[in-house]
Amino acid sequence: MADTVFSKIIAGEIPSNKLFEDEHCIVIPDINPVAPVHVLVIPKKPIEKLSDANPEDQALLGHLMLTVGKVAEQLGVSNGYRVVINNGEEGGQTVFHLHVHIIAGFAMKEGDM
Ligand code: 5GP
């Protein structure tokens, strides 16, 4: 898999404001937020997109979801937020290193991202 901006952030080659980090993932604010709270949960393992994940990634995918809950609490939005994974170009993915968006801070309507 080719290097992406996220693999460079994980490697420390590009500085970032990490809101959370453990052995499996990092959480950073989205550079172009679409809501008052918009952060990205990014696995350290370079998986290009969700549909490339393997059965061996099951625990990692679960860990990312549990991290979403933990970070939402940390950010004070555990009452409500949207969790988005864009998969592939036709799914709106622009950075080809799996990541989970947490979007919150305004009332989500049907049809929003
Ligand atoms: P995607 O469209 O692939 O699901 O989401 C990629 C997200 O990464 C976009 O929301 C975009 O604003 C964000 N992004 C792109 N480049 C950077 C960067 O260099 N730093 C951060 N923090 N976010 C980025």
Side-chain angles (χ1 to χ4, degrees):
M1 174 176 141
D3 268 1
T4 66
V5 66
F6 294 163
S7 58
K8 289 179 182 160
I9 287 172
I10 289 162
E13 292 164 19
I14 297 176
S16 67
N17 170 24
K18 294 193 188 85
L19 305 173
F20 175 84
E21 177 170 18
D22 67 13
E23 58 188 311
H24 300 298
C25 65
I26 63 167
V27 179
I28 58 172
D30 196 291
I31 203 168
N32 187 22
V34 299
V37 173
H38 186 176
V39 304
L40 304 169
V41 181
I42 308 172
K44 290 183 176 176
K45 180 175 177 183
I47 299 170
E48 204 167 293
K49 57 188 187 295
L50 182 62
S51 54
D52 290 332
N54 295 312
E56 73 190 29
D57 299 316
Q58 181 167 324
L60 175 61
L61 296 178
H63 182 76
L64 297 178
M65 292 300 120
L66 291 175
T67 301
V68 166
K70 198 186 298 188
V71 169
E73 201 160 311
Q74 183 184 318
L75 295 173
V77 298
S78 51
N79 274 349
Y81 49 89
R82 183 159 291 187
V83 179
V84 174
I85 298 176
N86 295 323
N87 186 76
E89 231 170 86
E90 290 183 24
Q93 186 175 1
T94 57
V95 178
F96 287 86
H97 181 129
L98 175 64
H99 53 281
V100 182
H101 298 253
I102 307 174
I103 302 166
F106 61 80
M108 295 281 180
K109 302 187 302 281
E110 217 176 297
D112 288 345
M113 176 181 172

